[in-house]
Amino acid sequence: LSTDSLVAGALAGDRRALGRLISLVEDGGPEVGPVMRALYPHTGRAYSLGITGAPGAGKSTLTERLVGRIRADGHSVGVLAVDPSSPLSGGALLGDRVRMQSHATDPDVFIRSMATRGHLGGMSLATPEAMRVLDAAGKDYIVVETVGVGQAEVKVTDACDTTVVVLNPGWGDAVQAAKAGLLEVADVFVINKADRKGVRAAERELAQMLELSPVERKPEIIPTVATTGEGIDALWAAIERHRAAQSDEDMALARRRRIAAEIRDIAIERYRARLEERCAGILDRLAGEVEARELDPYEAAAQLSGATESHRRGPR
Amino acid sequence: LSTDSLVAGALAGDRRALGRLISLVEDGGPEVGPVMRALYPHTGRAYSLGITGAPGAGKSTLTERLVGRIRADGHSVGVLAVDPSSPLSGGALLGDRVRMQSHATDPDVFIRSMATRGHLGGMSLATPEAMRVLDAAGKDYIVVETVGVGQAEVKVTDACDTTVVVLNPGWGDAVQAAKAGLLEVADVFVINKADRKGVRAAERELAQMLELSPVERKPEIIPTVATTGEGIDALWAAIERHRAAQSDEDMALARRRRIAAEIRDIAIERYRARLEERCAGILDRLAGEVEARELDPYEAAAQLSGATESHRRGPR
């Protein structure tokens, strides 16, 4: 299938075309630009939710419940499960984990796992692109689930309108979350597995961490038991309050900041691609000279930049 | 103090100058290039060890023991503890964790925590630079401890000659490590806390994961109890075997590949800095046009690239 017919298929809501386009975006090849151009005029309608937290916090079950809540209102939803699977496993470790079986047969739910694009920044670029594919396909809500364990992984939630950070009862979880950079991204906190002891301790610890924080807004804290569905309505209400509390100007500002970051990331990605495609030989020679200590890495980088620019200016 | 006198101080082994230079490298300002140029001719002697694994695996205690082992042979050592602390905490969460007290008064041990530079790739660029500072200061060994939880964090170990991945007894740890991308980076595996049950299970699981792996080399697996020092001599012997097993050509090739990656990262970083310093106004305008859907992000990125290049070519 040509990318044109994939785009047409995705706009018509064809699941197979959707899947193929998201694969294309994951791979990050030269077709991504034209595809994004074709889809872009059809985007801008979906509301996006980020769900993040430590491994084992119950993010998948919570996401499944939220999808149910969204469907109960009659809205369509696309789910992207971003997983930092290694090049070694090639995502195979995820394959055996059947996700969100309760929505598997619902035509208005599209669920997709995404692996990384192999280099830093690949994930944070591919995610908003995949979200845009789902947006263009007419999904009302897009849920992005990502494990909140590293800088690159947490950054994925930047693209979302409302980000939910999932903690568990007891002391220590909030400190770990703070260390992972999760507190800054939270619009709503969930203390999941709230049928266990230590919900108050987690709340107190979280409150202490937030007091140390320079951020002014104080996110709501919602206890949930995702396995039984307890607290899901309260969480949904908190998400809606966060959505409503943002003025149109706030939303426009946030959207514009995200778009600026995305444009910058694409430009950097283009530059990286140019370096890797056209300057591999030069880079190898420079590395040899640096290894022989005829050159230092900074001087070598300056020469490499110069070579890239002249390659760009020169005829192709 | 001028950067010249900081460089002179670091070369003479002055601890305060060392600390200041590493702070400078962390901040990533315009002085980094000149400092690296001045230090570069004095580098290339140190052997570097990476220690990584999940939070709580016992990396710090293991590092402390390895430092003791290195000191027992009379070698000097620099330790970089790279922590993905959040902008929120500003590294304060680390401050209360006193690291490696047993070596605090040893003048031949230099220990330093490093935080991130605020954007993706910052850490993976700052780490080899900080290692070079310690190398130039005459440290025989450099130990880089990093929490193996995300793509950016794991990538830090790329700069090390031998990387040790720390697991714990029982099933599941090796799968988690594989998902975190840790198996590919391991030259030696440690199963720490080996006084607990499940060392065999961890070994079997690891062996299974490695069989799925396309990598040919099979790293040694060493059980340790870092808290008592058990297995540390065996671990040190395995590290030395890994070092000895690499031919001079292998080492040179690995070093050259690392240098090439570093040159490329510096060039990309320079490009990013140019975008952010000189093109902020243009980027803001483009983001507005994209938000109004007059432009798509890819066309905007192409315009931004063009603007960056002409800024570079034009008079300053």
Side-chain angles (χ1 to χ4, degrees):
Chain A
L1 277 175
S2 71
T3 52
D4 281 356
S5 55
L6 285 178
V7 166
L11 291 176
D14 176 59
R15 298 171 76 89
R16 197 163 144 261
L18 266 181
R20 293 274 301 269
L21 282 183
I22 293 177
S23 298
L24 192 140
V25 149
E26 253 179 335
D27 295 342
E31 309 93 337
V32 175
V35 164
M36 285 296 125
R37 275 176 201 168
L39 292 177
Y40 196 68
H42 305 277
T43 62
R45 263 194 59 252
Y47 194 84
S48 55
L49 291 177
I51 313 285
T52 187
K59 294 182 297 298
S60 293
T61 315
L62 200 74
T63 299
E64 185 167 7
R65 290 284 174 186
L66 281 175
V67 168
R69 185 64 190 71
I70 292 168
R71 293 294 298 129
D73 283 348
H75 300 301
S76 63
V77 56
V79 179
L80 296 171
V82 182
D83 238 274
S85 67
S86 76
L88 174 89
S89 66
L93 292 169
L94 254 178
D96 52 343
R97 186 169 139 211
V98 180
R99 283 178 174 279
M100 293 178 250
Q101 292 181 300
S102 64
H103 304 295
T105 56
D106 182 341
D108 286 319
V109 178
F110 182 88
I111 298 165
R112 174 63 194 251
S113 288
M114 282 182 70
T116 79
R117 231 162 30 177
H119 60 78
L120 283 175
M123 221 171 357
S124 53
L125 194 55
T127 306
E129 289 168 353
M131 289 168 70
R132 206 161 281 143
V133 172
L134 294 172
D135 186 356
K139 300 299 170 204
D140 300 312
Y141 283 87
I142 298 167
V143 181
V144 179
E145 183 200 324
T146 179
V147 57
V149 293
Q151 219 188 342
E153 291 74 11
V154 169
K155 194 174 179 290
V156 162
T157 60
D158 283 358
C160 296
D161 295 308
T162 299
T163 294
V164 176
V165 170
V166 186
L167 305 175
N168 288 147
W171 286 98
D173 224 36
V175 171
Q176 290 302 324
K179 288 189 71 169
L182 285 176
L183 297 201
E184 296 90 324
V185 303
D187 298 308
V188 177
F189 284 106
V190 160
I191 300 178
N192 190 39
K193 306 185 185 177
D195 48 345
R196 298 190 185 168
K197 272 185 189 159
V199 176
R200 288 289 152 272
E203 282 181 354
R204 274 199 304 274
E205 191 183 36
L206 196 48
Q208 286 172 15
M209 300 302 311
L210 289 172
E211 252 171 62
L212 294 173
S213 146
V215 183
E216 275 201 29
R217 54 163 182 71
K218 296 290 171 211
E220 289 191 58
I221 303 173
I222 311 291
T224 63
V225 185
T227 48
T228 65
E230 205 184 314
I232 296 300
D233 284 337
L235 171 58
W236 188 248
I239 291 168
E240 300 252 274
R241 276 192 296 275
H242 175 255
R243 183 178 186 171
Q246 300 172 76
S247 68
D248 287 352
E249 283 147 51
D250 290 347
M251 297 267 276
L253 202 72
R255 214 174 298 129
R256 195 163 165 154
R257 211 177 45 230
R258 286 204 301 256
I259 289 171
E262 191 184 351
I263 296 171
R264 191 199 56 209
D265 287 353
I266 296 170
I268 290 170
E269 209 49 36
R270 285 164 51 107
Y271 184 78
R272 175 198 303 278
R274 221 150 67 217
L275 277 188
E276 286 175 359
E277 283 159 26
R278 301 197 208 159
C279 301
I282 301 170
L283 181 54
D284 194 55
R285 176 178 60 73
L286 290 169
E289 289 176 26
V290 170
E291 206 212 330
R293 285 185 162 62
E294 294 159 14
L295 218 60
D296 68 82
Y298 275 77
E299 177 53 32
Q303 290 191 20
L304 183 64
S305 300
T308 316
E309 314 274 319
S310 50
H311 264 266
R312 183 186 158 85
R313 283 198 300 268
R316 297 197 51 182
Chain B
L1 277 174
S2 70
T3 52
D4 282 357
S5 55
L6 285 179
V7 165
L11 291 175
D14 176 57
R15 298 171 75 89
R16 200 166 142 260
L18 265 182
R20 293 275 300 271
L21 282 184
I22 293 177
S23 297
L24 193 139
V25 150
E26 252 179 336
D27 295 340
E31 309 93 337
V32 175
V35 164
M36 284 297 124
R37 276 176 199 168
L39 292 176
Y40 196 69
H42 305 277
T43 62
R45 263 193 60 252
Y47 195 84
S48 55
L49 291 177
I51 313 285
T52 189
K59 294 180 299 297
S60 292
T61 314
L62 199 76
T63 299
E64 185 166 7
R65 291 285 174 185
L66 281 175
V67 169
R69 185 65 190 69
I70 293 168
R71 292 295 298 130
D73 284 348
H75 299 301
S76 63
V77 57
V79 179
L80 296 171
V82 182
D83 239 275
S85 67
S86 75
L88 174 91
S89 66
L93 292 169
L94 252 177
D96 52 343
R97 186 167 137 211
V98 180
R99 280 177 175 280
M100 295 179 246
Q101 292 182 303
S102 64
H103 305 294
T105 58
D106 182 341
D108 286 318
V109 178
F110 183 87
I111 298 165
R112 173 63 193 252
S113 286
M114 282 181 71
T116 79
R117 236 169 18 182
H119 60 79
L120 283 176
M123 219 169 4
S124 54
L125 194 55
T127 306
E129 288 168 354
M131 289 167 72
R132 206 162 278 144
V133 171
L134 294 171
D135 186 355
K139 300 299 169 203
D140 300 311
Y141 284 86
I142 297 168
V143 182
V144 178
E145 183 200 324
T146 181
V147 57
V149 291
Q151 217 189 347
E153 291 74 11
V154 169
K155 193 173 180 288
V156 162
T157 61
D158 283 358
C160 294
D161 294 309
T162 300
T163 295
V164 177
V165 170
V166 186
L167 304 176
N168 288 148
W171 286 98
D173 226 35
V175 171
Q176 289 302 323
K179 287 189 71 168
L182 285 174
L183 297 200
E184 295 90 324
V185 303
D187 299 308
V188 177
F189 285 106
V190 161
I191 299 177
N192 190 39
K193 307 185 184 177
D195 49 345
R196 299 189 185 168
K197 273 183 187 155
V199 176
R200 286 290 152 273
E203 283 181 354
R204 272 199 305 274
E205 191 183 35
L206 197 48
Q208 286 172 15
M209 301 300 313
L210 289 171
E211 252 171 62
L212 294 173
S213 146
V215 183
E216 277 203 28
R217 55 162 181 71
K218 296 290 170 208
E220 289 191 58
I221 303 173
I222 311 290
T224 63
V225 185
T227 48
T228 65
E230 206 184 311
I232 297 299
D233 284 338
L235 171 57
W236 189 248
I239 290 169
E240 300 252 274
R241 275 192 296 275
H242 174 256
R243 183 177 185 169
Q246 299 171 75
S247 69
D248 287 352
E249 284 147 50
D250 290 346
M251 297 268 274
L253 201 71
R255 214 175 297 128
R256 195 162 163 155
R257 210 178 45 229
R258 284 203 304 256
I259 289 170
E262 191 183 351
I263 296 171
R264 191 200 55 209
D265 287 353
I266 295 169
I268 291 170
E269 208 49 37
R270 285 164 50 106
Y271 183 78
R272 176 199 302 279
R274 221 151 67 216
L275 276 188
E276 285 175 358
E277 282 159 27
R278 301 195 209 160
C279 301
I282 300 169
L283 181 54
D284 195 53
R285 175 179 60 72
L286 290 169
E289 290 176 24
V290 170
E291 206 213 329
R293 288 187 160 60
E294 295 158 15
L295 219 61
D296 69 82
Y298 275 77
E299 176 52 33
Q303 290 191 20
L304 183 65
S305 300
T308 316
E309 315 274 319
S310 50
H311 264 269
R312 183 187 158 83
R313 286 197 301 266
R316 300 195 46 180

